[in-house]
Amino acid sequence: MSYDFTRWAQGELDLLASQHLTRTLEPLQSAQGPTVRVGGQSLINFSSNDYLGLAASPLLIHAAQQALDAHGLGSGASRLVAGDSALHHALEASVARFLGSEAALLFNSGYAANVGLVSALWGKTDILFSDAHNHASLIDGCRLSRARTLVYPHNDVAALEALLSAHPQGRRAVLTDAVFSMNGDTARLHELSALCERHGAALVVDEAHATGVFGPTGAGLCEAQGVSADLRMGTLGKSLGGFGAYVACDAAVRSLLIHRARSLVFSTALPAAWCAAGVTAIARVQQDTALRERLWSNIKIFTTGLRELGFEAVAHSPIFSVVLGAPERAMAASAFLRERGVWAKPIRPPTVPPGTSRLRMTLRADHSPAHLQQALTALADWQKAERR
Ligand SMILES: Cc1ncc(COP(=O)(O)O)c(C=O)c1O
């Protein structure tokens, strides 16, 4: 009897459905913006990571368009073969200036960067210390590296110190998100950096949700807290409005990554047009401080509104989580908000641990006061409906 692959897949899907964990793809019928068109409906967008509203910026699109005309659509090969261009180097120079690092190296996405850099720089005889709330890409990087990985309780510096003291041997690194992507809280980088210094461990910071949001020039949480890390990873696909990612490091580490990071060596390069958009986005973020001010003003207004409704909200970052527990409860809340014109996708396992399904709501610099109010009113109505 032949193996019925489709039947196996259907069985897996049925199991997911019975757990309220079915996922579907929903094509947007508009560009990213404070409102988007989805399923024929215009909805206020509380679901994207385009915090500064740059994903549809005419300035970035124009820069990409010019590069498309000059360099064509695809990069054609890995950077080590025939996919490199002057625009890749220009973007790396601009990232290094932005972050004050000696060098920078581009990757095709934040996921590719984390998986590539962790597995390239640490191996079987090393120890990695990873925050329990770190992003999946850092977790997968640890797995691929085959280094011994010790997961410390979320943001628990004392527990990390105990682990570092108990494991003094070998090359060691502490890995942390700057802004934790599901709860929106921030890492205690000052303390982590001091700890790494004392224990001779490297510090790796994932600034995916912090770039453009924190720091006087928008360089991220390290800039905001005056902390230097051995490696800072950031994405071009969130606040910077485009696509791709980078690692800021020193020149020797950059060279080593070019030799060893498999997600860089064995993958077609980021197209030049996205590099051009990245250069323009970084210049915009550095110059237009009003963008960041508007975002933070919205964060404060929304925090106050949530607290008035009785939610435990803290103005840590543009990410707010309303934890609801069961996946079906998060789905019902999301559908309720959607009927009232508010798009906040439910987040369920495995993206978050079982029992912590939630609405994850992200703010933007270009949300208007009316947008924020509509979301708060929808949440208040949902609370009333739940009490009935
Ligand atoms: C903390 C964190 N790191 C890395 C990534 C991956 O970045 P990218 O979407 O560019 O692959 C994400 C994406 O959501 C993230 O939240």
Side-chain angles (χ1 to χ4, degrees):
M1 204 173 74
S2 70
Y3 173 50
D4 191 339
F5 195 39
T6 307
R7 188 154 163 233
W8 168 80
Q10 195 52 58
E12 294 294 302
L13 288 170
D14 292 345
L15 183 63
L16 288 169
S18 71
Q19 297 165 338
H20 304 280
L21 295 177
T22 299
R23 294 178 179 222
T24 50
L25 298 173
E26 269 199 293
L28 262 66
Q29 296 153 329
S30 66
Q32 287 293 334
T35 61
V36 280
R37 225 176 151 69
V38 197
Q41 241 186 319
S42 175
L43 300 168
I44 307 169
N45 184 5
F46 283 92
S47 284
S48 90
N49 304 314
D50 177 26
Y51 304 120
L52 299 178
L54 294 183
S57 151
L59 214 63
L60 269 66
I61 293 170
H62 178 68
Q65 189 66 58
Q66 281 187 319
L68 276 177
D69 292 343
H71 295 267
L73 190 61
S75 59
S78 139
R79 279 184 82 187
L80 287 158
V81 183
D84 199 17
S85 79
L87 281 170
H88 290 83
H89 292 266
L91 178 53
E92 286 170 343
S94 122
V95 168
R97 272 196 306 276
F98 183 36
L99 301 190
S101 60
E102 192 178 26
L105 183 64
L106 296 178
F107 282 85
N108 288 354
S109 68
Y111 187 91
N114 280 340
V115 163
L117 78 91
V118 180
S119 62
L121 301 176
W122 288 279
K124 266 192 215 149
T125 54
D126 303 325
I127 308 185
L128 298 170
F129 301 83
S130 178
D131 188 288
H133 285 191
N134 274 348
H135 189 257
S137 51
L138 280 177
I139 296 170
D140 293 356
C142 293
R143 287 178 182 155
L144 267 181
S145 75
R146 290 190 248 171
R148 181 168 180 203
T149 301
L150 303 174
V151 176
Y152 60 91
H154 176 51
N155 254 341
D156 189 337
V157 177
L160 173 60
E161 169 126 60
L163 278 178
L164 281 163
S165 303
H167 299 88
Q169 261 86 47
R171 291 176 64 246
R172 296 167 307 155
V174 172
L175 315 178
T176 186
D177 288 3
V179 173
F180 293 91
S181 55
M182 289 302 128
N183 287 349
D185 57 335
T186 52
R188 295 157 66 180
L189 292 182
H190 238 295
E191 291 161 80
L192 292 183
S193 153
L195 208 54
C196 286
E197 185 80 20
R198 272 206 304 283
H199 288 266
L203 178 61
V204 179
V205 181
D206 174 337
E207 297 255 29
H209 294 275
T211 311
V213 174
F214 288 91
T217 71
L221 197 65
C222 286
E223 183 191 39
Q225 296 191 8
V227 163
S228 62
D230 296 280
L231 284 165
R232 270 175 292 165
M233 170 275 191
T235 57
L236 297 157
K238 301 187 196 298
S239 277
L240 296 176
F243 190 68
Y246 55 78
V247 176
C249 52
D250 63 33
V253 173
R254 177 180 186 272
S255 293
L256 191 60
L257 285 171
I258 291 172
H259 290 82
R260 293 214 183 131
R262 293 169 68 84
S263 59
L264 175 92
V265 175
F266 297 107
S267 192
T268 300
L270 195 66
W274 304 112
C275 299
V279 171
T280 308
I282 289 174
R284 178 84 198 276
V285 163
Q286 286 180 300
Q287 285 153 18
D288 193 349
T289 51
L291 273 181
R292 224 165 5 270
E293 282 158 19
R294 280 203 290 280
L295 176 64
W296 278 100
S297 159
N298 281 347
I299 292 170
K300 280 172 195 144
I301 293 168
F302 201 61
T303 307
T304 307
L306 284 176
R307 284 207 196 124
E308 280 167 10
L309 294 177
F311 292 105
E312 276 179 31
V314 183
H316 284 303
S317 75
I319 303 170
F320 291 84
S321 261
V322 179
V323 179
L324 297 168
E328 56 272 37
R329 193 160 173 239
M331 283 161 71
S334 173
F336 186 97
L337 261 60
R338 189 171 178 148
E339 279 167 22
R340 284 150 188 81
V342 174
W343 200 40
K345 294 279 266 197
I347 307 289
R348 296 166 289 160
T351 310
V352 291
T356 68
S357 289
R358 65 193 65 190
L359 290 180
R360 175 180 180 270
M361 301 184 77
T362 48
L363 297 198
R364 307 169 53 93
D366 53 10
H367 276 141
S368 69
H371 291 144
L372 301 183
Q373 192 48 56
Q374 192 166 328
L376 291 167
T377 304
L379 282 167
D381 290 347
W382 170 77
Q383 284 180 316
K384 278 183 221 142
E386 281 261 302
R387 279 192 212 111
R388 260 186 243 128

